[in-house]
Amino acid sequence: MMRALVFVVAVGLPLRLAAQESPSARLDGKLDVETQTAVLRTIDSARTRGLPTEPIFDKALEGATKRAAGPRIQAAVAALMQRLEVARDALAPNPGPRDIAAGADALAYGATREALAAMRAIRPNESVAVPLGVLTQLVASGVPVARATRVVADLLRRGARDEQLIALNNDVRTFVAAGASPQAALDVRMRGLNAVLPPGGGIATGDAAAPGQMTAGSGKKP
């Protein structure tokens, strides 16, 4: 299920600063003792590995808000830390916290490590948080993950700006909400971008990836 405002949280704003109270205090009364201990252990491990910890806090608090069982929350934060680590490595050499968090979200929706690395190669010296956030939201809107990955990568190669990618995402979501199919909504929006960007690979309405293009998974969020 699409999480409300996930794109705004992931890429539209910087990761918020941690609250002034201790990590333990932030979770007190929200989790059972065993789960809180396990979550804090995961957070400490993430910090030691140079990973952003705020997404892990958010995941634990999301589980608490949904009254998820303790073992499920523990499994969710452990899986998130693994995705953060994969994203950090794929986006090397110096990804920022927002890039890593956005990469972990993209992985959760079916993008591959290779897709993240390819986007870093296209933008070696700039943040890829917005492109990865757009990829995630296109998949959440119903666009197949393989096509969403190809389209975003193609737009990056053609010099699309972050604001153009955000507009693409917003328009697709608006068209889908109005009853259009996700694929048709993307086709309509891509025609507008094709008119203003340099020529690319001609994949705006295509379904098949050319040999050697990056692939992605099922797009089903765990």
Side-chain angles (χ1 to χ4, degrees):
M1 182 177 66
M2 188 186 303
R3 291 177 294 170
L5 300 181
V6 64
F7 180 66
V8 173
V9 173
V11 301
L13 296 172
L15 290 174
R16 69 175 184 272
L17 295 176
Q20 294 301 312
E21 66 266 33
S22 69
S24 179
R26 295 181 66 188
L27 299 175
D28 281 346
K30 300 177 178 67
L31 303 171
D32 63 81
V33 174
E34 181 179 352
T35 300
Q36 179 168 326
T37 299
V39 169
L40 290 173
R41 189 182 304 119
T42 301
I43 289 170
D44 286 342
S45 179
R47 185 178 295 112
T48 299
R49 299 180 191 189
L51 301 172
T53 58
E54 198 65 19
I56 299 176
F57 274 111
D58 290 343
K59 178 63 70 175
L61 293 174
E62 178 187 0
T65 299
K66 294 179 177 179
R67 301 184 182 276
R72 185 172 180 181
I73 295 174
Q74 294 176 42
V77 298
L80 173 56
M81 191 182 80
Q82 291 179 348
R83 291 195 300 273
L84 289 167
E85 193 161 26
V86 171
R88 188 268 315 276
D89 293 345
L91 297 172
N94 297 306
R98 291 176 63 235
D99 283 6
I100 297 172
D105 278 345
L107 291 169
Y109 276 83
T112 64
R113 183 189 189 284
E114 292 74 21
L116 271 59
M119 292 193 189
R120 167 56 72 211
I122 299 169
R123 274 192 177 183
N125 301 312
E126 298 178 62
S127 171
V128 291
V130 167
L132 291 172
V134 168
L135 189 162
T136 298
Q137 281 298 290
L138 289 175
V139 176
S141 295
V143 177
V145 64
R147 187 180 180 208
T149 302
R150 293 194 303 272
V151 165
V152 173
D154 182 63
L155 290 173
L156 287 183
R157 292 188 189 97
R158 296 166 64 190
R161 303 185 305 275
D162 282 353
E163 53 265 36
Q164 290 174 309
L165 296 174
I166 292 171
L168 166 74
N169 171 69
N170 291 340
D171 287 348
V172 168
R173 293 181 66 182
T174 298
F175 295 156
V176 170
S181 74
Q183 296 261 42
L186 182 56
D187 287 344
V188 169
R189 190 61 183 90
M190 283 299 297
R191 282 195 286 272
L193 284 174
N194 286 337
V196 298
L197 292 176
I203 62 170
T205 58
D207 291 327
Q213 281 187 312
M214 66 189 87
T215 58
S218 66
K220 183 177 181 182
K221 184 178 182 295

